[in-house]
Every structure is written in structure tokens, then in C-alpha cells.
Coordinates of all heavy atoms in Angstrom, one line a residue:
M1 N -61.0 -79.8 67.8 CA -60.4 -79.2 66.6 C -59.2 -80.1 66.2 O -58.4 -80.4 67.0 CB -60.1 -77.8 66.8 CG -59.5 -77.1 65.7 SD -60.6 -76.9 64.2 CE -61.9 -75.8 64.9
V2 N -59.2 -80.5 64.9 CA -58.0 -81.2 64.4 C -57.3 -80.2 63.5 O -57.8 -79.6 62.6 CB -58.5 -82.4 63.6 CG1 -57.3 -83.2 63.0 CG2 -59.2 -83.4 64.5
K3 N -56.0 -80.1 63.7 CA -55.2 -79.2 62.9 C -54.2 -80.0 62.0 O -53.4 -80.8 62.4 CB -54.3 -78.3 63.8 CG -55.1 -77.3 64.7 CD -54.1 -76.6 65.5 CE -54.8 -75.3 66.1 NZ -53.9 -74.5 66.8
I4 N -54.4 -79.8 60.7 CA -53.6 -80.5 59.7 C -52.8 -79.5 58.9 O -53.3 -78.6 58.3 CB -54.6 -81.3 58.8 CG1 -55.4 -82.3 59.6 CG2 -53.7 -82.0 57.7 CD1 -56.3 -83.1 58.8
A5 N -51.5 -79.7 58.9 CA -50.6 -78.8 58.1 C -50.2 -79.5 56.9 O -50.0 -80.7 56.9 CB -49.3 -78.5 59.0
L6 N -50.2 -78.8 55.7 CA -49.9 -79.3 54.4 C -48.8 -78.5 53.8 O -48.7 -77.3 54.0 CB -51.2 -79.3 53.6 CG -52.4 -80.0 54.0 CD1 -53.7 -79.6 53.1 CD2 -52.2 -81.5 53.9
D7 N -48.0 -79.3 53.0 CA -47.1 -78.6 52.1 C -46.9 -79.3 50.8 O -47.2 -80.5 50.8 CB -45.8 -78.2 52.7 CG -44.8 -79.3 53.0 OD1 -44.5 -80.0 51.9 OD2 -44.4 -79.6 54.1
A8 N -46.5 -78.6 49.8 CA -46.3 -79.2 48.5 C -44.9 -79.5 48.2 O -44.4 -79.4 47.1 CB -46.9 -78.3 47.4
G9 N -44.1 -79.8 49.3 CA -42.7 -80.3 49.1 C -41.7 -79.2 48.8 O -41.3 -78.5 49.7
H10 N -41.4 -79.1 47.5 CA -40.3 -78.2 47.1 C -40.8 -77.0 46.4 O -42.1 -76.8 46.3 CB -39.5 -79.0 46.0 CG -39.2 -80.4 46.4 ND1 -38.2 -80.7 47.3 CD2 -39.9 -81.5 46.1 CE1 -38.3 -82.0 47.5 NE2 -39.3 -82.6 46.8
G11 N -39.9 -76.1 46.0 CA -40.3 -75.0 45.2 C -40.4 -75.4 43.8 O -39.9 -76.5 43.3
I12 N -41.0 -74.6 43.0 CA -41.3 -74.9 41.5 C -39.9 -75.0 40.8 O -39.7 -75.7 39.8 CB -42.3 -74.0 40.8 CG1 -42.8 -74.6 39.5 CG2 -41.6 -72.6 40.7 CD1 -44.0 -73.9 39.0
N13 N -38.9 -74.2 41.3 CA -37.7 -74.2 40.6 C -36.5 -75.1 41.3 O -35.3 -74.9 40.9 CB -37.1 -72.7 40.4 CG -38.1 -72.0 39.4 OD1 -38.4 -72.6 38.3 ND2 -38.4 -70.8 39.8
T14 N -36.9 -75.8 42.3 CA -35.9 -76.6 43.0 C -35.2 -77.6 42.0 O -35.9 -78.3 41.3 CB -36.6 -77.4 44.1 OG1 -37.2 -76.6 45.0 CG2 -35.6 -78.2 44.9
P15 N -33.9 -77.5 41.9 CA -33.2 -78.3 40.9 C -33.5 -79.8 41.1 O -33.6 -80.4 42.1 CB -31.7 -78.1 41.2 CG -31.7 -76.7 41.9 CD -33.0 -76.7 42.7
G16 N -33.7 -80.5 40.0 CA -33.9 -81.9 40.0 C -35.3 -82.4 40.2 O -35.6 -83.5 40.0
K17 N -36.1 -81.6 40.7 CA -37.5 -82.0 41.1 C -38.4 -81.8 39.9 O -39.3 -80.9 39.9 CB -38.0 -81.2 42.3 CG -37.0 -81.3 43.5 CD -36.8 -82.7 43.9 CE -35.9 -82.7 45.1 NZ -35.5 -84.1 45.6
R18 N -38.3 -82.7 38.8 CA -39.1 -82.6 37.7 C -39.2 -84.0 36.9 O -38.4 -84.8 37.2 CB -38.6 -81.4 36.8 CG -37.2 -81.6 36.3 CD -36.5 -80.3 36.0 NE -36.4 -79.5 37.2 CZ -36.3 -78.2 37.3 NH1 -36.1 -77.5 36.2 NH2 -36.2 -77.6 38.5
S19 N -40.2 -84.0 36.1 CA -40.5 -85.2 35.3 C -39.4 -85.3 34.2 O -38.8 -84.3 33.9 CB -41.8 -85.3 34.8 OG -41.9 -84.4 33.7
P20 N -39.3 -86.4 33.5 CA -38.4 -86.5 32.3 C -38.9 -85.5 31.2 O -38.0 -85.1 30.4 CB -38.6 -87.9 31.8 CG -39.0 -88.7 33.1 CD -39.8 -87.8 33.8
D21 N -40.2 -85.0 31.2 CA -40.6 -84.0 30.3 C -40.5 -82.6 30.9 O -41.1 -81.7 30.3 CB -42.0 -84.3 29.9 CG -42.2 -85.6 29.1 OD1 -41.2 -86.0 28.5 OD2 -43.3 -86.2 29.2
D22 N -39.8 -82.4 32.0 CA -39.6 -81.1 32.7 C -40.8 -80.6 33.3 O -40.9 -79.4 33.7 CB -39.0 -80.1 31.7 CG -38.2 -79.0 32.4 OD1 -37.6 -79.3 33.4 OD2 -38.3 -77.8 32.0
E23 N -41.8 -81.4 33.6 CA -42.9 -80.9 34.5 C -42.4 -80.9 35.9 O -41.8 -81.8 36.4 CB -44.2 -81.8 34.3 CG -45.3 -81.1 35.1 CD -46.7 -81.6 34.7 OE1 -46.8 -82.4 33.8 OE2 -47.6 -81.1 35.4
R24 N -42.7 -79.8 36.6 CA -42.1 -79.6 37.9 C -42.9 -80.4 39.0 O -44.1 -80.4 38.9 CB -42.1 -78.1 38.3 CG -41.5 -77.2 37.2 CD -40.0 -77.6 37.0 NE -39.5 -77.0 35.8 CZ -38.8 -75.9 35.8 NH1 -38.4 -75.3 36.9 NH2 -38.2 -75.5 34.6
E25 N -42.2 -81.1 39.9 CA -42.8 -81.8 40.9 C -43.8 -80.9 41.7 O -44.8 -81.4 42.1 CB -41.8 -82.4 41.9 CG -42.4 -83.2 43.0 CD -41.5 -83.8 44.0 OE1 -40.2 -83.9 43.8 OE2 -41.9 -84.2 45.1
W26 N -43.4 -79.7 42.0 CA -44.3 -78.8 42.7 C -45.7 -78.8 42.1 O -46.7 -78.7 42.8 CB -43.7 -77.4 42.8 CG -44.6 -76.5 43.6 CD1 -44.5 -76.3 44.9 CD2 -45.6 -75.6 43.0 NE1 -45.5 -75.4 45.3 CE2 -46.1 -74.9 44.2 CE3 -46.0 -75.3 41.8 CZ2 -47.2 -74.0 44.1 CZ3 -47.1 -74.4 41.6 CH2 -47.6 -73.8 42.8
S27 N -45.8 -78.8 40.7 CA -47.1 -78.7 40.0 C -47.9 -79.9 40.4 O -49.1 -79.7 40.7 CB -46.8 -78.6 38.6 OG -46.1 -77.4 38.2
F28 N -47.3 -81.1 40.4 CA -48.0 -82.3 40.7 C -48.5 -82.1 42.2 O -49.7 -82.3 42.6 CB -47.2 -83.5 40.7 CG -46.9 -84.0 39.3 CD1 -45.6 -83.7 38.7 CD2 -47.8 -84.8 38.5 CE1 -45.4 -84.2 37.4 CE2 -47.5 -85.2 37.3 CZ -46.2 -84.9 36.7
N29 N -47.5 -81.8 43.1 CA -47.8 -81.7 44.5 C -48.8 -80.7 44.9 O -49.7 -80.9 45.7 CB -46.5 -81.4 45.3 CG -45.4 -82.5 45.1 OD1 -45.7 -83.5 44.7 ND2 -44.2 -82.1 45.4
N30 N -48.7 -79.6 44.2 CA -49.7 -78.5 44.5 C -51.1 -78.9 44.1 O -52.0 -78.5 44.9 CB -49.3 -77.2 43.7 CG -50.2 -76.1 44.1 OD1 -50.3 -75.6 45.2 ND2 -50.8 -75.5 43.0
N31 N -51.3 -79.6 43.0 CA -52.7 -80.0 42.6 C -53.2 -81.0 43.7 O -54.4 -81.0 44.0 CB -52.6 -80.7 41.2 CG -52.5 -79.7 40.1 OD1 -52.9 -78.5 40.3 ND2 -52.0 -80.1 39.0
V32 N -52.3 -81.9 44.1 CA -52.8 -82.8 45.3 C -53.1 -82.0 46.5 O -54.1 -82.3 47.2 CB -51.7 -83.9 45.5 CG1 -52.1 -84.8 46.6 CG2 -51.6 -84.8 44.2
L33 N -52.2 -81.1 46.8 CA -52.5 -80.3 48.1 C -53.9 -79.6 48.0 O -54.7 -79.6 48.9 CB -51.4 -79.3 48.3 CG -51.4 -78.5 49.6 CD1 -50.1 -78.1 50.0 CD2 -52.3 -77.3 49.5
L34 N -54.1 -79.0 46.9 CA -55.4 -78.2 46.7 C -56.6 -79.2 46.7 O -57.6 -78.8 47.4 CB -55.4 -77.4 45.3 CG -54.3 -76.3 45.3 CD1 -54.3 -75.7 43.9 CD2 -54.5 -75.3 46.3
A35 N -56.4 -80.3 46.2 CA -57.6 -81.3 46.3 C -57.7 -81.8 47.7 O -58.9 -81.9 48.2 CB -57.2 -82.5 45.4
C36 N -56.6 -82.1 48.4 CA -56.7 -82.5 49.8 C -57.4 -81.4 50.7 O -58.3 -81.6 51.5 CB -55.3 -82.7 50.4 SG -54.6 -84.3 49.9
A37 N -56.9 -80.1 50.5 CA -57.5 -79.0 51.3 C -59.0 -78.9 51.0 O -59.8 -78.7 51.9 CB -56.8 -77.8 50.9
T38 N -59.4 -79.0 49.8 CA -60.8 -78.9 49.4 C -61.6 -80.0 50.1 O -62.7 -79.8 50.7 CB -61.0 -79.0 47.9 OG1 -60.4 -77.9 47.3 CG2 -62.5 -79.0 47.5
A39 N -61.1 -81.2 50.1 CA -61.8 -82.4 50.7 C -61.8 -82.2 52.2 O -62.9 -82.4 52.9 CB -61.1 -83.6 50.3
L40 N -60.7 -81.7 52.8 CA -60.7 -81.6 54.3 C -61.6 -80.5 54.8 O -62.1 -80.6 55.9 CB -59.2 -81.4 54.7 CG -58.3 -82.6 54.6 CD1 -56.9 -82.1 54.9 CD2 -58.7 -83.6 55.7
Q41 N -61.7 -79.5 54.0 CA -62.6 -78.3 54.4 C -64.1 -78.7 54.4 O -64.9 -77.9 54.9 CB -62.4 -77.2 53.4 CG -61.1 -76.5 53.6 CD -60.6 -75.5 52.6 OE1 -61.2 -75.6 51.4 NE2 -59.6 -74.8 52.8
Q42 N -64.4 -79.9 53.9 CA -65.8 -80.4 53.9 C -66.2 -80.9 55.4 O -67.4 -81.0 55.8 CB -66.1 -81.5 53.0 CG -65.7 -81.3 51.6 CD -66.4 -80.1 51.0 OE1 -67.6 -79.9 51.1 NE2 -65.7 -79.1 50.4
Y43 N -65.2 -81.1 56.2 CA -65.4 -81.6 57.6 C -65.4 -80.5 58.6 O -64.7 -79.5 58.4 CB -64.2 -82.6 58.0 CG -64.2 -83.8 57.2 CD1 -63.4 -83.9 56.0 CD2 -65.0 -84.9 57.5 CE1 -63.4 -85.1 55.2 CE2 -64.9 -86.1 56.7 CZ -64.2 -86.2 55.6 OH -64.1 -87.3 54.9
E44 N -66.3 -80.7 59.6 CA -66.3 -79.7 60.7 C -65.2 -80.0 61.6 O -64.8 -81.1 61.8 CB -67.7 -79.9 61.5 CG -68.9 -79.4 60.7 CD -70.1 -79.6 61.5 OE1 -70.1 -79.7 62.7 OE2 -71.2 -79.7 60.9
G45 N -64.7 -79.0 62.3 CA -63.6 -79.2 63.2 C -62.3 -79.5 62.7 O -61.4 -80.0 63.4
V46 N -62.0 -79.1 61.4 CA -60.7 -79.4 60.8 C -60.2 -78.0 60.5 O -60.8 -77.2 59.7 CB -60.8 -80.2 59.6 CG1 -59.4 -80.4 58.9 CG2 -61.3 -81.7 60.0
Q47 N -59.0 -77.7 60.9 CA -58.2 -76.5 60.5 C -57.0 -76.9 59.6 O -56.4 -78.0 59.9 CB -57.7 -75.7 61.7 CG -58.7 -74.8 62.3 CD -58.0 -74.0 63.4 OE1 -57.5 -74.5 64.4 NE2 -58.0 -72.7 63.2
I48 N -56.8 -76.1 58.6 CA -55.7 -76.4 57.7 C -54.8 -75.3 57.7 O -55.2 -74.1 57.6 CB -56.3 -76.6 56.3 CG1 -57.2 -77.9 56.2 CG2 -55.1 -76.9 55.2 CD1 -58.1 -78.0 55.0
L49 N -53.5 -75.6 57.7 CA -52.5 -74.5 57.5 C -51.5 -75.0 56.4 O -50.9 -76.1 56.4 CB -51.7 -74.3 58.8 CG -50.5 -73.4 58.7 CD1 -51.0 -72.0 58.5 CD2 -49.7 -73.5 60.0
R50 N -51.3 -74.2 55.4 CA -50.4 -74.4 54.4 C -49.0 -73.9 54.8 O -48.9 -72.8 55.2 CB -50.8 -73.8 53.1 CG -49.9 -74.2 51.9 CD -50.4 -73.9 50.6 NE -49.5 -74.5 49.6 CZ -49.8 -74.6 48.3 NH1 -51.0 -74.3 47.8 NH2 -48.9 -75.0 47.5
L51 N -47.9 -74.7 54.7 CA -46.7 -74.4 55.2 C -45.7 -73.9 54.2 O -44.7 -73.2 54.5 CB -46.0 -75.6 55.8 CG -46.8 -76.3 57.0 CD1 -46.2 -77.6 57.4 CD2 -46.9 -75.3 58.1
D52 N -45.9 -74.2 52.9 CA -45.0 -73.8 51.8 C -45.5 -72.5 51.2 O -46.5 -72.0 51.5 CB -44.9 -74.9 50.8 CG -46.2 -75.2 50.1 OD1 -47.3 -75.1 50.7 OD2 -46.2 -75.5 48.9
D53 N -44.7 -72.1 50.2 CA -45.1 -70.9 49.5 C -46.2 -71.3 48.4 O -45.8 -72.1 47.6 CB -43.8 -70.3 48.8 CG -44.1 -69.2 47.8 OD1 -45.3 -68.8 47.7 OD2 -43.2 -68.7 47.2
P54 N -47.4 -70.8 48.6 CA -48.4 -71.2 47.6 C -48.2 -70.9 46.2 O -48.9 -71.4 45.3 CB -49.7 -70.6 48.2 CG -49.3 -69.5 49.1 CD -47.9 -69.9 49.6
T55 N -47.3 -70.0 45.9 CA -46.9 -69.7 44.5 C -45.8 -70.6 44.0 O -45.6 -70.6 42.8 CB -46.4 -68.2 44.4 OG1 -45.1 -68.1 45.0 CG2 -47.3 -67.2 45.0
G56 N -45.2 -71.3 44.9 CA -44.1 -72.2 44.6 C -42.8 -71.5 44.2 O -41.8 -72.2 44.0
K57 N -42.7 -70.2 44.3 CA -41.6 -69.5 43.9 C -40.4 -69.7 44.9 O -39.3 -69.5 44.6 CB -41.9 -68.0 43.7 CG -42.8 -67.8 42.5 CD -43.1 -66.3 42.4 CE -44.0 -66.1 41.2 NZ -44.6 -64.7 41.1
T58 N -40.8 -69.9 46.2 CA -39.7 -70.0 47.3 C -39.8 -71.5 47.7 O -40.9 -72.0 48.0 CB -40.1 -69.1 48.4 OG1 -40.1 -67.7 47.9 CG2 -39.0 -69.2 49.5
D59 N -38.6 -72.1 47.8 CA -38.5 -73.4 48.3 C -38.3 -73.2 49.9 O -37.1 -73.0 50.4 CB -37.3 -74.1 47.7 CG -37.3 -75.6 48.1 OD1 -38.0 -76.1 49.1 OD2 -36.4 -76.4 47.5
V60 N -39.3 -73.3 50.6 CA -39.2 -73.2 52.1 C -38.6 -74.4 52.7 O -39.1 -75.5 52.5 CB -40.7 -73.0 52.6 CG1 -40.6 -72.8 54.2 CG2 -41.4 -71.8 52.0
P61 N -37.5 -74.2 53.4 CA -36.8 -75.3 54.0 C -37.6 -76.1 54.9 O -38.5 -75.6 55.6 CB -35.7 -74.6 54.9 CG -35.5 -73.2 54.2 CD -36.9 -72.8 53.7
L62 N -37.3 -77.4 55.0 CA -38.1 -78.3 55.8 C -38.1 -77.9 57.3 O -39.2 -78.0 57.8 CB -37.4 -79.7 55.7 CG -38.1 -80.9 56.6 CD1 -39.6 -81.1 56.2 CD2 -37.4 -82.2 56.4
K63 N -37.1 -77.4 57.8 CA -37.0 -77.0 59.2 C -38.0 -75.8 59.4 O -38.7 -75.8 60.5 CB -35.6 -76.7 59.7 CG -35.6 -76.2 61.2 CD -34.2 -76.3 61.8 CE -34.2 -75.9 63.2 NZ -35.4 -75.8 64.0
T64 N -38.0 -74.9 58.5 CA -39.0 -73.9 58.6 C -40.4 -74.4 58.6 O -41.2 -73.9 59.4 CB -38.7 -72.8 57.5 OG1 -37.4 -72.3 57.5 CG2 -39.7 -71.7 57.6
R65 N -40.7 -75.3 57.7 CA -42.1 -75.8 57.7 C -42.4 -76.5 59.0 O -43.5 -76.4 59.5 CB -42.2 -76.8 56.5 CG -42.2 -76.0 55.2 CD -42.3 -76.9 53.9 NE -41.0 -77.3 53.5 CZ -40.7 -78.5 53.1 NH1 -41.6 -79.5 53.0 NH2 -39.4 -78.8 52.7
T66 N -41.5 -77.4 59.4 CA -41.8 -78.2 60.6 C -41.9 -77.3 61.9 O -42.8 -77.5 62.7 CB -40.8 -79.4 60.9 OG1 -39.5 -78.8 61.0 CG2 -40.8 -80.4 59.8
D67 N -41.0 -76.3 61.9 CA -41.2 -75.3 63.1 C -42.5 -74.6 63.0 O -43.1 -74.4 64.1 CB -40.0 -74.3 63.0 CG -38.7 -74.8 63.4 OD1 -38.6 -76.0 63.9 OD2 -37.7 -74.1 63.2
K68 N -43.0 -74.2 61.8 CA -44.3 -73.6 61.8 C -45.4 -74.4 62.2 O -46.3 -74.0 62.9 CB -44.4 -73.0 60.3 CG -45.6 -72.1 60.1 CD -45.6 -71.6 58.7 CE -46.8 -70.7 58.4 NZ -46.8 -70.2 57.0
A69 N -45.3 -75.7 61.7 CA -46.3 -76.7 62.1 C -46.4 -76.9 63.6 O -47.4 -77.0 64.2 CB -46.1 -78.0 61.4
N70 N -45.2 -77.0 64.2 CA -45.1 -77.3 65.7 C -45.6 -76.1 66.4 O -46.3 -76.2 67.4 CB -43.7 -77.6 66.1 CG -43.3 -79.0 65.7 OD1 -44.1 -79.9 65.7 ND2 -42.1 -79.3 65.3
K71 N -45.2 -74.8 66.0 CA -45.6 -73.7 66.7 C -47.2 -73.5 66.6 O -47.8 -73.1 67.5 CB -45.0 -72.4 66.1 CG -45.2 -71.1 66.8 CD -44.5 -70.0 66.1 CE -44.8 -68.7 66.9 NZ -44.2 -67.5 66.3
W72 N -47.7 -73.9 65.5 CA -49.2 -73.8 65.3 C -49.9 -74.9 66.2 O -51.1 -74.8 66.4 CB -49.5 -73.9 63.8 CG -50.9 -73.9 63.4 CD1 -51.7 -72.8 63.6 CD2 -51.7 -74.8 62.7 NE1 -53.0 -73.0 63.1 CE2 -53.0 -74.2 62.5 CE3 -51.4 -76.1 62.1 CZ2 -54.0 -74.9 61.8 CZ3 -52.4 -76.7 61.4 CH2 -53.7 -76.1 61.3
G73 N -49.2 -76.0 66.5 CA -49.8 -77.1 67.3 C -50.5 -78.1 66.3 O -51.5 -78.7 66.7
A74 N -49.9 -78.4 65.2 CA -50.5 -79.2 64.2 C -50.5 -80.7 64.7 O -49.7 -81.1 65.5 CB -49.6 -79.4 62.9
D75 N -51.7 -81.3 64.5 CA -51.8 -82.7 64.9 C -51.2 -83.7 63.9 O -50.8 -84.7 64.2 CB -53.3 -83.1 65.0 CG -54.0 -82.3 66.1 OD1 -53.6 -82.5 67.3 OD2 -54.9 -81.5 65.8
A76 N -51.1 -83.2 62.6 CA -50.5 -84.0 61.6 C -49.9 -83.0 60.5 O -50.4 -81.9 60.4 CB -51.5 -84.9 60.9
L77 N -48.8 -83.4 60.0 CA -48.2 -82.6 58.9 C -48.0 -83.6 57.7 O -47.4 -84.7 57.8 CB -46.8 -82.1 59.3 CG -46.1 -81.1 58.3 CD1 -44.8 -80.5 59.0 CD2 -45.7 -81.7 57.0
V78 N -48.7 -83.2 56.6 CA -48.6 -84.0 55.3 C -47.8 -83.2 54.3 O -48.2 -82.2 53.9 CB -49.9 -84.4 54.8 CG1 -49.9 -85.2 53.5 CG2 -50.8 -85.0 55.9
S79 N -46.6 -83.7 54.0 CA -45.7 -83.1 53.0 C -45.9 -84.0 51.7 O -45.6 -85.1 51.7 CB -44.3 -83.0 53.5 OG -43.5 -82.5 52.5
I80 N -46.4 -83.4 50.7 CA -46.8 -84.1 49.5 C -45.7 -84.1 48.4 O -45.1 -83.1 48.2 CB -48.1 -83.5 48.9 CG1 -49.3 -83.6 49.9 CG2 -48.5 -84.2 47.6 CD1 -50.4 -82.7 49.6
H81 N -45.3 -85.3 48.0 CA -44.3 -85.5 47.0 C -44.7 -86.5 45.9 O -45.5 -87.3 46.1 CB -43.0 -86.0 47.7 CG -42.4 -85.1 48.6 ND1 -41.3 -84.2 48.3 CD2 -42.7 -84.8 49.9 CE1 -41.1 -83.5 49.4 NE2 -41.9 -83.8 50.3
H82 N -44.1 -86.4 44.8 CA -44.1 -87.4 43.7 C -42.7 -87.8 43.4 O -41.9 -86.9 42.9 CB -44.9 -86.8 42.5 CG -46.3 -86.6 42.7 ND1 -46.9 -85.6 43.4 CD2 -47.3 -87.4 42.3 CE1 -48.2 -85.8 43.4 NE2 -48.5 -86.8 42.8
N83 N -42.3 -89.0 43.7 CA -40.9 -89.4 43.5 C -40.6 -89.6 42.0 O -41.3 -90.2 41.3 CB -40.7 -90.6 44.4 CG -40.7 -90.4 45.8 OD1 -40.5 -89.3 46.3 ND2 -41.0 -91.4 46.6
A84 N -39.4 -89.2 41.7 CA -39.0 -89.3 40.3 C -38.2 -90.7 40.1 O -38.1 -91.1 38.9 CB -37.9 -88.2 40.0
L85 N -37.8 -91.3 41.1 CA -37.1 -92.6 41.1 C -35.9 -92.6 40.1 O -34.9 -91.9 40.5 CB -38.1 -93.7 40.6 CG -37.6 -95.2 40.7 CD1 -37.3 -95.5 42.2 CD2 -38.7 -96.1 40.2
T86 N -36.0 -93.1 39.0 CA -34.8 -93.1 38.1 C -34.7 -91.9 37.1 O -33.7 -91.8 36.4 CB -34.9 -94.4 37.2 OG1 -36.0 -94.3 36.4 CG2 -34.9 -95.6 38.0
G87 N -35.6 -91.0 37.2 CA -35.6 -89.8 36.3 C -36.1 -90.2 35.0 O -36.0 -89.4 34.0
K88 N -36.6 -91.4 34.8 CA -37.2 -91.8 33.5 C -38.6 -92.3 33.8 O -39.0 -92.7 34.8 CB -36.4 -93.0 32.9 CG -34.9 -92.7 32.6 CD -34.2 -93.9 32.2 CE -32.8 -93.6 32.0 NZ -31.9 -94.7 31.7
W89 N -39.5 -92.2 32.7 CA -40.9 -92.7 32.8 C -40.8 -94.1 33.1 O -40.0 -94.9 32.5 CB -41.7 -92.3 31.6 CG -42.0 -90.9 31.4 CD1 -41.5 -90.1 30.3 CD2 -42.7 -90.0 32.2 NE1 -42.0 -88.9 30.5 CE2 -42.7 -88.8 31.6 CE3 -43.4 -90.2 33.4 CZ2 -43.4 -87.7 32.2 CZ3 -44.0 -89.1 34.0 CH2 -44.1 -87.9 33.4
H90 N -41.7 -94.6 34.0 CA -41.8 -96.0 34.3 C -43.2 -96.3 34.8 O -44.1 -95.5 34.7 CB -40.8 -96.4 35.4 CG -41.0 -95.5 36.6 ND1 -41.9 -95.9 37.6 CD2 -40.4 -94.4 37.1 CE1 -41.8 -95.0 38.6 NE2 -41.0 -94.1 38.3
S91 N -43.5 -97.6 35.0 CA -44.8 -98.0 35.3 C -45.2 -98.1 36.8 O -46.1 -98.6 37.3 CB -45.1 -99.3 34.7 OG -44.3 -100.3 35.2
G92 N -44.2 -97.5 37.6 CA -44.4 -97.5 39.1 C -45.6 -96.8 39.5 O -46.1 -95.9 38.8
G93 N -46.1 -97.1 40.6 CA -47.4 -96.5 41.1 C -47.5 -96.7 42.6 O -46.7 -97.3 43.2
G94 N -48.7 -96.2 43.1 CA -49.0 -96.5 44.5 C -48.6 -95.3 45.4 O -48.2 -94.2 44.9
A95 N -48.8 -95.5 46.7 CA -48.5 -94.4 47.6 C -47.4 -94.8 48.6 O -47.2 -95.9 48.8 CB -49.7 -94.1 48.4
E96 N -46.6 -93.8 49.1 CA -45.6 -94.0 50.0 C -45.8 -93.0 51.1 O -46.1 -91.8 50.9 CB -44.2 -93.7 49.3 CG -43.1 -93.8 50.2 CD -41.8 -93.5 49.4 OE1 -41.9 -93.0 48.3 OE2 -40.8 -93.8 50.0
T97 N -45.8 -93.5 52.4 CA -46.1 -92.7 53.5 C -44.9 -92.6 54.4 O -44.3 -93.7 54.7 CB -47.4 -93.2 54.3 OG1 -48.4 -93.3 53.3 CG2 -47.7 -92.2 55.3
Ligands
ZN101 ZN1 -40.3 -84.3 46.5

């Protein structure tokens, strides 16, 4: 059994975590998390635990999330983010791990 813990980074109202058009980072992160969870659930022997508040209303502190993942015995913790960089739209892309 492989245990994968996921979180969508911040809460929906966490200050500063939004696009130049005021779209919240949590919204981007949550969509990626849901797609990841759906894809991972296609595999046998994979368990998924969501560490953040799935409504986004509460910004669960990092230590709380990591403690929960460790207590559960997670093999991996993936905290999903979309970086704002300069706070302005730009042509940056790619993944950061
Ligand atoms: Zn973030």
C-alpha cells in the first residue's frame, strides 16, 4: 500500500495568494488536487489523504498538515501551489518541485 497525502496549499482567503485578477491560488491548487486524486484513485494499492480544508475556508498551518501526514504514515506529501512570482501576469511556466 502506498500512502499519498495531498493538500491545496493555502486557504481561499489567505492574504496575497491570488492572481493579478484576484483569482485565489487555492482555486487553482484545488483543481489540480482533485485531478491528481482522481488519477491516483485509478491505481490499486494507493491510499490518499487530503490534509487541508477541502472547502478552502480554513488555512490549515503547514505543521498541522505535516503532523497529520506523519501520523498517518504517508509515503509522500504533495503540497500543490501556483507561484505568483511578481504579482503580475507573465509568460513563466513549468513545474517546481
Ligand atoms: Zn502557494
